[in-house]
Amino acid sequence: MTKPESKKSGVAAINATGKCATAASAAEQVINGSVEADCPDQGTLMTAKVNKQIARESLHWRNTECEVYDDGTNTFFWRAHTVTVLFILTCALVYVTLLEETPQDTAYNTKRGIIASILVFLCFGVTQAKDGPFTRPHPAYWRFWLCVTVVYELFLIFILFQTVHDGRQFMKYIDPKLGVPLPERDYGGNCLMYDPGNTTDPFHNIWDKMDGFVPAHFLGWYIKTLMIRDWWMCMIISVMFEFLEYSLEHQLPNFSECWWDHWIMDVLLCNGLGIYCGMKTLAWLSMKPYQWQGLWNIPTYKGKIKRIAFQFTPYSWVKFEWKPASNLRRWLAVLGIIFMFLLAELNTFYLKFVLWMPPEHYLVLLRLVFFVNVGGVAMREIYDFMDDPKFHKKLGQQAWLVAAITVTEFLIVVKYDPNTIMLPIPFFIMQCWLLGILLIFTWTLWRFFIHDITLRYKETRRRKQEAPADRDRPLGNGSTATPSGRSKLNDNSETPRQRKT
């Protein structure tokens, strides 16, 4: 398998970095019609149409292709090595079959067989699966996470089809410490920022909240900003999740936090600082030149080290322009993305609650690492599918799997603890959510239906008013234009022959 970037290197190498803005602005002028070229013959007209189509394509790829230079180096690192992987896998299976004695422990053999099956599937997927939109640091890395996504979804389906008792006890096969109900920690006990009653440390409430979740919040929102690439969407999701914690604290005890823990430590400090650093990183990634050269083609050691470090940055850059108010399809897509983000965040807490996993367990951390690696690919595929549906005619494979995983996790929560989910929401909180949904529905109805109908009606009325003015406009010989020559003859007593004479 050749390097995916080398396919585009021929076109990308022609475009210099300094020509990007000029080409993009010229393309915009051609598309908008601000540049009017004289087309005296049909050949020139055809050339203008071709240039206009090329301008549209250059506008679509102006954020990626025009700033990419690649010398097309294809080394051993970029090959798929399908035969090598198949040979090593076959040797391992032959060794287990012929040279190793099978233990008589049924549980051990079951675990071993499941792990071996997963490893064989991962080997197949890493070498044979379809590449996604990301190619750095290596396409095989993202193919690996695609196969892990499939395995995780199958595991969730298996858990979903078990009884509540069997599903919780099955977790003991992964870790014997699991399968035991654990009390949730209550964060909303003493909410005094300054406790005068504690003379030793009056700020002990603040220090108690400074646990390992503070840097986790910051790092999580930094990575989410790199996924979403939009400040407004990140802030909306951050604030909405705090409202969800307020609304659901009667279901999960650890949602009960102090007001300053919600809005100062979470929204302003951890989430806000993570979003700010993420936006600064996005600004740097959008301005840096993307010039790729083979490692052995770089003469200096400093250049080689810099090239190795840049291997972990994107191959090219795409600026996400969500534009939710541009049309109904994009508006509904943005609402769906926000909803799925919030649902995935809630699943983190509810899965720990229904499967009896402590917050510090390594499985909880592995799930977060999993979503960090697959979330960026899923967001890129969703954006491509929403931004250019003619080219991307179907939803990407990673985005499809992430959506299926989010829904499956929620179904597990509903099945394993329906009593907690069905606890009635307080009436005033329900009123607030109904008011918010009503406002969103009203704005959607006005923006994409009533507003558009009003604009079309005004445009039609303006054209009707301009039509009589065009008919009454005087011609060059001083007479006025008439709607029809036949009606003029009908109103005149002269015959057609006399008028001709």
Side-chain angles (χ1 to χ4, degrees), residues 291-311:
Q291 300 177 359
W292 303 107
Q293 191 176 4
L295 185 64
W296 305 113
N297 298 332
I298 302 175
T300 62
Y301 287 102
K302 182 179 179 180
K304 293 178 184 295
I305 296 174
K306 186 177 179 181
R307 176 63 180 84
I308 293 174
F310 279 176
Q311 184 67 26

Side-chain angles (χ1 to χ4, degrees), residues 12 92 109 167-168 214 265 275 288 383 427:
N109 292 334
R168 288 170 176 169
V214 173
M265 293 189 63
I275 294 173
K288 77 175 285 288
Y383 180 79
F427 181 70

Side-chain angles (χ1 to χ4, degrees), residues 115-265:
I115 294 175
S117 302
I118 294 175
L119 290 178
V120 170
F121 174 73
L122 292 178
C123 291
F124 167 79
V126 167
T127 56
Q128 302 292 340
K130 179 182 176 182
D131 288 336
F134 291 172
T135 56
R136 288 292 191 264
H138 195 280
Y141 177 81
W142 303 108
R143 292 196 295 265
F144 168 79
W145 283 107
L146 175 65
C147 298
V148 172
T149 308
V150 176
V151 173
Y152 181 55
E153 172 63 10
L154 295 178
F155 170 75
L156 292 176
I157 295 295
F158 176 80
I159 294 294
L160 181 63
F161 277 81
Q162 308 303 311
T163 62
V164 177
H165 179 267
D166 292 343
R168 288 170 176 169
Q169 297 303 315
F170 177 79
M171 303 300 294
K172 287 187 175 182
Y173 289 97
I174 302 176
D175 188 352
K177 298 179 181 179
L178 297 178
V180 179
L182 298 174
E184 289 287 338
R185 179 182 175 184
D186 187 6
Y187 285 84
N190 188 358
C191 290
L192 293 175
M193 298 181 66
Y194 180 83
D195 190 4
N198 192 331
T199 57
T200 304
D201 188 4
F203 297 97
H204 67 95
N205 289 328
I206 298 178
W207 308 131
D208 290 341
K209 303 300 186 294
M210 295 295 181
D211 50 13
F213 293 99
V214 173
H217 272 245
F218 167 79
L219 183 61
W221 274 104
Y222 174 78
I223 297 176
K224 291 173 189 174
T225 307
L226 299 182
M227 295 179 188
I228 302 175
R229 306 182 189 181
D230 186 83
W231 185 85
W232 281 105
M233 286 184 63
C234 291
M235 289 303 299
I236 289 173
I237 294 174
S238 175
V239 174
M240 286 292 296
F241 184 75
E242 299 302 323
F243 281 115
L244 284 174
E245 286 188 333
Y246 271 120
S247 305
L248 300 175
E249 63 182 10
H250 66 286
Q251 295 183 1
L252 293 185
N254 61 334
F255 280 165
S256 178
E257 298 178 351
C258 301
W259 66 269
W260 48 268
D261 197 0
H262 279 292
W263 304 110
I264 297 179
M265 293 189 63

Side-chain angles (χ1 to χ4, degrees), residues 270-281:
C270 298
N271 302 354
L273 188 60
I275 294 173
Y276 174 79
C277 295
M279 294 304 298
K280 289 298 181 181
T281 306

Side-chain angles (χ1 to χ4, degrees), residues 6 15 37 54 108 136 150 189 198 252 262 305-306 328 350 365 371 375 454 481 486 501:
S6 62
N15 300 314
I54 295 175
Y108 174 77
R136 288 292 191 264
V150 176
N198 192 331
L252 293 185
H262 279 292
I305 296 174
K306 186 177 179 181
L328 182 61
Y350 279 93
L365 180 61
F371 273 101
T454 304
R486 180 175 298 177
T501 303

Side-chain angles (χ1 to χ4, degrees), residues 316-497:
S316 61
W317 185 249
V318 174
K319 181 181 178 181
F320 285 3
E321 297 177 354
W322 295 103
K323 298 179 182 179
S326 59
N327 55 65
L328 182 61
R329 184 175 183 270
R330 298 180 76 97
W331 170 248
L332 295 178
V334 170
L335 289 181
I337 291 171
I338 295 175
F339 175 79
M340 295 300 290
F341 250 93
L342 294 175
L343 184 59
E345 293 279 354
L346 290 177
N347 288 341
T348 304
F349 295 90
Y350 279 93
L351 278 178
K352 294 187 299 182
F353 183 77
V354 301
L355 293 179
W356 297 348
M357 288 189 295
E360 299 82 7
H361 198 270
Y362 71 90
L363 289 180
V364 179
L365 180 61
L366 287 179
R367 180 184 176 276
L368 297 178
V369 173
F370 164 78
F371 273 101
V372 164
N373 286 276
V374 304
V377 183
M379 289 300 300
R380 174 63 185 276
E381 291 177 346
I382 292 173
Y383 180 79
D384 290 340
F385 179 71
M386 182 186 69
D387 189 59
D388 191 7
K390 294 183 179 180
F391 183 77
H392 302 275
K393 297 183 179 180
K394 61 180 182 179
L395 187 64
Q397 49 192 4
Q398 193 68 272
W400 190 93
L401 286 170
V402 169
I405 285 174
T406 305
V407 175
T408 308
E409 287 180 344
F410 178 72
L411 294 178
I412 291 175
V413 173
V414 173
K415 178 179 179 179
Y416 276 51
D417 197 353
N419 297 327
T420 301
I421 298 298
M422 298 305 295
L423 286 176
I425 300 178
F427 181 70
F428 69 95
I429 295 179
M430 180 64 70
Q431 285 180 323
C432 295
W433 282 105
L434 290 178
L435 178 61
I437 295 174
L438 181 62
L439 290 176
I440 294 176
F441 178 78
T442 304
W443 188 88
T444 304
L445 187 64
W446 175 84
R447 175 63 181 83
F448 300 107
F449 295 96
I450 300 177
H451 181 66
D452 291 346
I453 293 174
T454 304
L455 290 180
R456 287 196 295 266
Y457 172 75
K458 290 181 179 180
E459 182 68 19
T460 305
R461 186 177 179 181
R462 184 183 63 82
R463 291 181 179 178
K464 289 181 179 180
Q465 291 176 354
E466 291 178 354
D470 293 339
R471 290 196 297 267
D472 296 339
R473 186 175 57 192
L475 300 178
N477 56 2
S479 61
T480 58
T482 58
S484 176
R486 180 175 298 177
S487 61
K488 180 69 177 176
L489 293 177
N490 293 336
D491 295 339
N492 200 337
S493 59
E494 298 179 2
T495 60
R497 184 179 298 276

Side-chain angles (χ1 to χ4, degrees), residues 3 5-6 9-10 13 68-74 291-298 307 315:
K3 183 174 63 172
E5 291 88 335
S6 62
S9 60
V68 176
Y69 172 83
D70 194 344
D71 61 358
T73 302
N74 187 18
Q291 300 177 359
W292 303 107
Q293 191 176 4
L295 185 64
W296 305 113
N297 298 332
I298 302 175
R307 176 63 180 84
Y315 173 77

Side-chain angles (χ1 to χ4, degrees), residues 64-83:
T64 56
E65 298 297 333
C66 65
E67 294 186 359
V68 176
Y69 172 83
D70 194 344
D71 61 358
T73 302
N74 187 18
T75 60
F76 179 84
F77 177 73
W78 288 102
R79 299 189 184 98
H81 308 289
T82 54
V83 178

